[in-house]
Amino acid sequence: MLSSPITRPSTPFWRDNGAALLMGALAAALAVMVRFVIPYEREITSAWMLLVKLTPQIAACVAVAWLDVAWARWLRLHLVTLPAIFLGFLCYFVPKTFMTALDMVDGSAVFEDLYLHVVVFVPFLIVGLVLSYRVGGGSREGVLRIGAAMTILQMSGLEDLVAVVMNRRLNGIPEVWDWAHHMTVRLGHPATRNEAYAFIAAHVVLAVLTLALPRRWLAGLGRRLRPTRARSGV
């Protein structure tokens, strides 16, 4: 059965996608700031710096959420964005990983170079996935939920746990996780092993709740969190 033809939206592109374009420009500006203005290094010195480094992907997810689906369908953006996301992975992240590994072998690169490369790839993956979902007809709420849940998992320390389990150079899981700066800046000290477990578990639960809580529960929570004056209409 042939699908019905896709008609062009009656309202202007700029009007329907103004918020998406604005947030997309903001995301690009924030990415430039994070990469070239503030110190680009593995260590995170404060919780505020951690938040700043997350702002590009957060802004990008909001931009994707406000992308107008009708325009995306009419422009057939899925035929452009999905190959572009794949090519970004294939033609930059894959060879860059290989080259950094080779540079580490001959001493012209260190582990931090590889780490910072992977740190760029993770937001690329998150934004690429939510964009794929949106241009495929996914809801705005779905984009925000998925983007938030993946960001929470990104910050959970789950990757650190898997890394130490896979690391044959270690004799068991370390007692103190002094390398996990994203934990340190929020806890106020390097996490112990049990603190790291609890930290990871709390984030996983929060990510699941972000994905699974019914909309009416979220709306009710939002009403309860509003100031009393706002709720009473004063």
Side-chain angles (χ1 to χ4, degrees), residues 20 23-24 26-28 30 54-65 123 127 130 143:
M23 293 304 298
L26 178 61
L30 290 170
L54 288 175
T55 55
Q57 72 188 60
I58 293 172
C61 287
V62 173
V64 170
V127 176
V130 296
V143 170

Side-chain angles (χ1 to χ4, degrees), residues 18-36:
L21 294 170
L22 178 62
M23 293 304 298
L26 178 61
L30 290 170
V32 170
M33 181 188 73
V34 169
R35 178 62 180 87
F36 298 107

